[in-house]
DNA sequence: GTCGACTTGGGCATCAGATA
DNA sequence: TATCTGATGCCCAAGTCGAC
């Protein structure tokens, strides 16, 4: 029963031998979506907690659906669904595209396709927009925009919100830091606050990094560099100990990232494993 | 090839209700 | 009463796709 439980009970109470039904053919996950949609549109409305739980489940089963699509189904706001998706980052399948309410798929990051299109245009300036679009995996409209940008001497990838994934490491770190700082388990204990202070002070914002580098006097550069490498090695050892203590909580990719730091620092012969230095 | 309709995610300001 | 949280509306740049 996806919808109409009350109508069925009323029919049964009235002793009616049959009731008109509409069959649904599809996957269980799609049946769940239909059920949530029905409950938000009529009948006994779902509580906010129930709608949030439903949105979480739909995010897990339909990760490629746009936030607005899920918001419409669950009766939540788009911003709430967006926040929920951020919270569940890592726990839900990653999708490079979003299917909107119009059923069209749109990429989250078109930089790769744009760069590919710019290469194809340079190689064959007389190729049609559709031919390049097919080859690059983007729409003809986007190819046209790339071509106009190249004619104006601009970068084929617009600067702004949809930056290439390679440039998103900074914001991800900042987001992870924000989550840790809002976690009561850390925020409300002395040792947790101490750890947060150490993590915060050891993560210079990208925009301040260049300024910090320029502020190092030439005669101190060697010692500062050596100390930074020792700090990195100490943090790497700290990461290894944390991972060993709680292997079940180690995020995917953590080991390889820590290993990369280790390999880059060990090659300099630095490293002190007794305490993490910030 | 071009254009317009419609959509996206994100930022920002504002408001309302819950909670301390 | 102050603060927090969630919802809403508006705006923006960018993307897709059908019609012409």
């Amino acid at each position: 029963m996806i919808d109409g439980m009350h109508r069925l009970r009323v029919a049964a109470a009235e002793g009616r031998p049959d009731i008109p039904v509409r069959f649904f053919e599809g996957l269980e996950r799609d049946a769940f979506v239909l059920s949530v949609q029905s409950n938000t549109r009529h009948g006994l409305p779902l509580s906010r907690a129930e709608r949030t739980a439903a949105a979480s489940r739909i995010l897990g089963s339909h990760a490629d659906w746009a936030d607005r699509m899920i918001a419409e189904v669950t009766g939540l706001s788009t911003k709430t669904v967006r926040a929920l998706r951020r919270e569940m980052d890592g726990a839900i399948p990653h999708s490079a595209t979003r299917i909107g309410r119009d059923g069209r798929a749109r990429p989250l990051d078109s930089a790769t396709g744009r760069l590919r299109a710019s290469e194809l245009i340079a190689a064959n300036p007389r190729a049609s927009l559709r031919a390049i679009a097919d080859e690059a995996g983007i729409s003809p409209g986007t190819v046209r925009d790339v071509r106009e940008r190249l004619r104006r001497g601009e970068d084929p990838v617009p600067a702004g919100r949809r930056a290439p994934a390679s440039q998103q490491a900074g914001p991800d770190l900042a987001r992870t830091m924000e989550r840790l700082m809002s976690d009561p388990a850390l925020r409300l204990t002395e040792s947790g606050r101490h750890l947060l202070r150490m993590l915060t002070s050891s993560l210079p914002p990208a925009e301040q990094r260049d300024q910090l580098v320029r502020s190092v006097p030439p005669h101190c550069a060697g010692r500062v560099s050596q100390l930074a490498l020792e700090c990195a090695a100490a943090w790497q050892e700290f990461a290894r100990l944390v991972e060993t203590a709680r292997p079940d909580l180690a995020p995917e990719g953590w080991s390889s990232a820590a290993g990369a730091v280790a390999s880059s620092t060990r090659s300099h012969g630095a490293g002190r494993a007794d305490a993490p230095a910030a």
Side-chain angles (χ1 to χ4, degrees), chain A residues 209-227:
Chain A
R209 198 179 313 160
D210 292 345
Q211 188 185 346
L212 286 172
V213 169
R214 284 194 295 271
S215 69
V216 176
H219 68 279
C220 298
R223 276 173 289 166
V224 170
S225 171
Q226 182 66 24
L227 195 58

Side-chain angles (χ1 to χ4, degrees), chain A residues 2 30-42 46 50-51 54-55 58 70 72-75:
Chain A
I2 294 174
D30 294 325
F32 176 74
V33 171
L34 189 58
S35 167
V36 172
Q37 201 166 18
S38 302
N39 275 286
T40 53
R41 286 180 178 172
H42 61 79
L46 298 174
E50 288 170 331
R51 281 178 285 148
I58 294 172
I70 297 174
E72 189 178 80
V73 169
T74 57

Side-chain angles (χ1 to χ4, degrees), chain A residues 3-266:
Chain A
D3 186 32
M5 187 65 75
H6 291 101
R7 275 167 282 168
L8 178 64
R9 284 181 182 166
V10 168
E14 290 175 346
R16 290 162 56 187
D18 49 48
I19 183 172
V21 299
R22 188 154 53 96
F23 288 101
F24 169 79
E25 274 190 68
L27 299 171
E28 187 178 339
R29 59 178 192 165
D30 294 325
F32 176 74
V33 171
L34 189 58
S35 167
V36 172
Q37 201 166 18
S38 302
N39 275 286
T40 53
R41 286 180 178 172
H42 61 79
L44 193 63
L46 298 174
S47 68
R48 195 160 71 191
E50 288 170 331
R51 281 178 285 148
T52 304
S56 298
R57 183 168 164 181
I58 294 172
L59 276 168
S61 62
H62 299 74
D64 56 347
W65 276 19
D67 293 348
R68 293 185 190 200
M69 179 103 136
I70 297 174
E72 189 178 80
V73 169
T74 57
L76 291 168
S77 79
T78 314
K79 308 299 167 69
T80 304
V81 176
R82 187 200 303 175
L84 208 54
R85 192 190 289 274
R86 282 177 176 169
E87 266 182 37
M88 296 174 69
D89 185 30
I92 58 176
H94 175 74
S95 176
T97 58
R98 290 284 186 274
I99 298 172
R101 288 181 296 184
D102 56 355
R104 297 171 180 172
R106 292 173 176 80
L108 288 177
D109 173 22
S110 66
T112 307
R114 279 176 169 268
L115 289 173
R116 176 69 182 141
S118 68
E119 291 169 2
L120 292 167
I121 292 170
N124 187 4
R126 299 186 68 181
S128 72
L129 293 177
R130 285 183 174 86
I132 293 174
D134 286 344
E135 185 77 18
I138 55 178
S139 74
T142 308
V143 176
R144 180 164 52 105
D145 184 61
V146 168
R147 194 182 59 185
E148 292 303 314
R149 284 175 171 278
L150 292 174
R151 278 180 184 165
R152 294 195 300 266
E154 297 174 3
D155 193 295
V157 182
R161 292 188 299 270
R162 300 190 183 192
S166 59
Q167 295 176 10
Q168 293 175 358
D172 282 351
L173 269 182
R175 198 181 301 161
T176 303
M177 195 67 226
E178 282 176 18
R179 283 190 202 151
L180 283 177
M181 294 186 77
S182 62
D183 192 327
L186 288 171
R187 197 160 46 90
L188 300 180
T189 64
E190 184 56 40
S191 59
R193 285 193 294 272
H194 183 57
L195 176 61
L196 288 174
R197 280 195 295 274
M198 291 173 67
L199 286 169
T200 307
S201 61
S202 65
L203 278 178
E207 62 270 18
Q208 291 180 13
R209 198 179 313 160
D210 292 345
Q211 188 185 346
L212 286 172
V213 169
R214 284 194 295 271
S215 69
V216 176
H219 68 279
C220 298
R223 276 173 289 166
V224 170
S225 171
Q226 182 66 24
L227 195 58
L229 289 170
E230 289 193 22
C231 287
W235 273 113
Q236 192 275 329
E237 177 62 13
F238 180 73
R240 190 189 65 77
L241 291 171
V242 170
E243 193 176 345
T244 306
R246 302 296 300 274
D248 56 313
L249 298 181
E252 195 178 332
W254 176 269
S255 299
S256 57
V261 172
S263 62
S264 66
T265 53
R266 282 180 195 138

